[in-house]
Amino acid sequence: MTAKLRSSNITEGVARAPNRSMYYAMGYKRSDFANPMIGVANGHSTITPCNSGLQALADAAVAAIHAAGANPQMFGTPTISDGMSMGTEGMKYSLVSREVIADCVETSVQGQWMDGVVVIGGCDKNMPGGMMGMLRADVPSIYVYGGTIKPGHWKGHDLNIVSVFEAVGEFSRGRMSEEDFCGIEENAIPGTGSCGGMYTANTMSSSFEALGMSLLGSSTMANPDPEKAESTAESARVLLRAVKNDLKPRDIVTRKSIENAVALIMAVGGSTNAVLHYLAIAHAAGVEWSIDDFERVRKRVPVLCDLKPSGQYLATDLHRAGGIPQVLKILLNAGLVHGDCMTITGRTLAEELKGVPDAPRADQDVIFPIDKALYREGHLAILKGNLSPEGSVAKITGLKNPVMTGPARVFDDEQSALAAILDGRIVAGDVMVLRYLG
């Protein structure tokens, strides 16, 4: 262990007898105070399926910490479901929740002098919020993603959350029967886990593997599968080694490792939300990173994965095809990520990828080699102009024409914009502008 544990600030000495008394009330023994106090930030919630399967993972982390002789300290973090709140005023709390989650992690870790922390999250803002809190506290930390959801099924078709949004449009236009509409609604999400495409949750969790703050291969596991709990337990064990070696987040999260994360996001066709989240993560890490850096990375990193929402496949398909490690190995061999970046295991990214095949398997069409990339350049373009002089982000996969002209249909809230779509007042060629929602 390190020469002196942080937790000794509240466990050692005559003056700390009242502190120790409170620990005894929770079953601690005198010998426990010589061992690390490890936080388990548990995002479990029955608000959303993204987080409703996290308790089993938190329990797995606690068991692994106990088995290693350390002291787990579980505390909670909140969540907001973007999938449920979008289209309502509730969505305005979504980005705010990122800051609240960061505050929860930082406050608990710092207030209780924890020696390390495992952060477990599921829905979109859990990932950046947890990472920001880890970076602010800067004690040995690891991020555990709750895992993706498995696909739903209806009449022989695989479904995900976007299938339901699409069904709303089809049913509203009279192009879908009520039976199919209700069938899709009731069967699109079969259980626990975060939305299955390369949406925000899977984008951020995948990028944390490239960043070095999550175990390789862990972000594309499905929440209900036993391997997810096993990976969580291993994450806890890896964290305890990081505590012993005093390996902290700011030793890992550097300008080069953020560049690795953004390169991975481009390669997998990740969410536009990664832009605002990585600006915040970089700020929390004290790393210089601007919106222009995304454009710099975009121009040299191709899109290698055929994933929803702009492609065919889900995160579970990516996992079977080799997952994020396979994508990173392709990028490493092409000189598009920095192999010398440190990871939470204490090994470099290149060392971690040593056993991964150089090329994706031939029996899958989810991950493509560099010479068969889906798009020559990345898909998240940074745009600047009179509407956004400081920059904006556009997802340009599948865009046939980079210039679009049409009448502006302006709305001041999501509800009125959605009503206009459902009422048929928006037609092909219209440009929808939603103000006050950025």
Side-chain angles (χ1 to χ4, degrees):
M1 293 297 166
T2 52
K4 188 177 180 67
L5 294 170
R6 289 179 84 246
S7 54
S8 65
N9 285 284
I10 55 173
T11 61
E12 284 188 5
V14 173
R16 297 297 174 230
N19 309 55
R20 292 191 294 272
S21 287
M22 299 190 78
Y23 283 109
Y24 288 131
M26 295 184 287
Y28 281 65
K29 298 179 176 62
R30 184 171 295 277
S31 58
D32 291 330
F33 300 123
N35 299 322
M37 301 289 187
I38 304 298
V40 178
N42 182 5
H44 176 78
S45 166
T46 54
I47 285 176
T48 168
C50 303
N51 290 55
S52 62
L54 299 189
Q55 188 59 52
L57 306 187
D59 292 342
V62 166
I65 293 165
H66 265 309
N71 304 299
Q73 298 186 320
M74 191 181 296
F75 62 94
T77 60
T79 194
I80 294 292
S81 170
D82 284 26
M84 293 177 178
S85 64
M86 67 172 61
T88 76
E89 286 294 292
M91 188 63 180
K92 292 181 178 177
Y93 288 90
S94 176
L95 188 56
V96 173
S97 75
R98 183 189 74 181
E99 311 307 312
V100 176
I101 293 164
D103 290 346
C104 286
V105 173
E106 179 188 10
T107 299
S108 296
V109 170
Q110 298 291 62
Q112 294 298 125
W113 290 91
M114 294 175 184
D115 299 300
V117 63
V118 179
V119 180
I120 305 172
C123 199
D124 294 1
K125 305 308 183 291
N126 293 189
M127 273 62 73
M131 187 61 63
M132 290 159 63
M134 291 156 63
L135 287 162
R136 290 180 195 169
D138 200 33
V139 304
S141 310
I142 193 167
Y143 200 95
V144 172
Y145 176 47
T148 187
I149 205 164
K150 292 184 176 183
H153 304 282
W154 176 249
K155 293 185 175 180
H157 295 283
D158 285 355
L159 304 175
N160 67 95
I161 185 62
V162 170
S163 306
V164 190
F165 286 106
E166 292 170 346
V168 169
E170 291 296 292
F171 182 68
S172 299
R173 291 296 181 92
R175 296 196 293 252
M176 178 179 286
S177 69
E178 185 172 357
E179 178 197 6
D180 285 339
F181 179 67
C182 294
I184 291 170
E185 175 186 328
E186 294 168 10
N187 293 281
I189 303 176
T192 57
S194 297
C195 299
M198 193 49 69
Y199 312 125
T200 302
N202 283 327
T203 296
M204 294 306 297
S205 61
S206 295
S207 75
F208 287 175
E209 291 189 36
L211 190 65
M213 292 298 293
S214 290
L215 296 187
L216 285 182
S218 65
S219 69
T220 50
M221 295 174 180
N223 175 263
D225 288 348
E227 66 175 348
K228 186 70 249 189
E230 294 162 6
S231 173
T232 302
E234 178 60 19
S235 295
R237 291 187 284 269
V238 167
L239 173 64
L240 288 169
R241 293 198 291 272
V243 171
K244 180 179 181 179
N245 297 322
D246 198 29
L247 179 60
K248 299 188 288 290
R250 292 196 184 194
D251 299 326
I252 298 168
V253 181
T254 64
R255 182 172 172 83
K256 287 170 68 175
S257 71
I258 290 176
E259 190 166 289
N260 286 351
V262 173
L264 186 279
I265 290 165
M266 297 295 176
V268 298
S271 169
T272 55
N273 287 333
V275 174
L276 81 160
H277 292 324
Y278 264 98
L279 289 171
I281 288 169
H283 178 74
V287 171
E288 184 178 335
W289 186 266
S290 75
I291 196 169
D292 296 320
D293 287 312
F294 292 94
E295 183 69 5
R296 175 177 56 81
V297 175
R298 182 188 77 82
K299 288 182 176 178
R300 64 184 187 85
V301 178
V303 178
L304 301 177
C305 299
D306 189 13
L307 298 169
K308 289 181 181 296
S310 54
Q312 297 185 64
Y313 294 106
L314 298 172
T316 50
D317 300 309
L318 175 61
H319 189 61
R320 286 190 292 269
I324 299 305
Q326 181 64 81
V327 181
L328 285 172
K329 186 62 175 283
I330 295 169
L331 294 176
L332 178 68
N333 288 343
L336 297 174
V337 293
H338 305 283
D340 59 345
C341 287
M342 181 56 62
T343 73
I344 187 61
T345 64
R347 296 184 291 273
T348 66
L349 182 63
E351 289 171 333
E352 287 288 291
L353 294 171
K354 188 174 181 180
V356 178
D358 289 329
R361 297 196 322 268
D363 63 348
Q364 56 80 45
D365 55 357
V366 182
I367 307 170
F368 290 82
I370 290 285
D371 61 351
K372 295 181 180 176
L374 295 172
Y375 299 95
R376 186 175 57 84
E377 294 183 343
H379 64 301
L380 299 182
I382 302 303
L383 310 178
K384 294 184 179 182
N386 62 322
L387 289 179
S388 55
E390 295 181 12
S392 61
V393 59
K395 190 179 236 184
I396 59 173
T397 41
L399 190 65
K400 295 180 175 62
N401 187 345
V403 178
M404 292 172 285
T405 303
R409 307 301 185 197
V410 182
F411 303 89
D412 291 346
D413 57 71
E414 288 185 82
Q415 298 93 311
S416 58
L418 180 59
I421 294 171
L422 297 180
D423 292 344
R425 288 182 278 127
I426 303 299
V427 299
D430 285 352
V431 177
M432 296 186 72
V433 180
L434 278 67
R435 302 191 297 182
Y436 314 124
L437 298 173

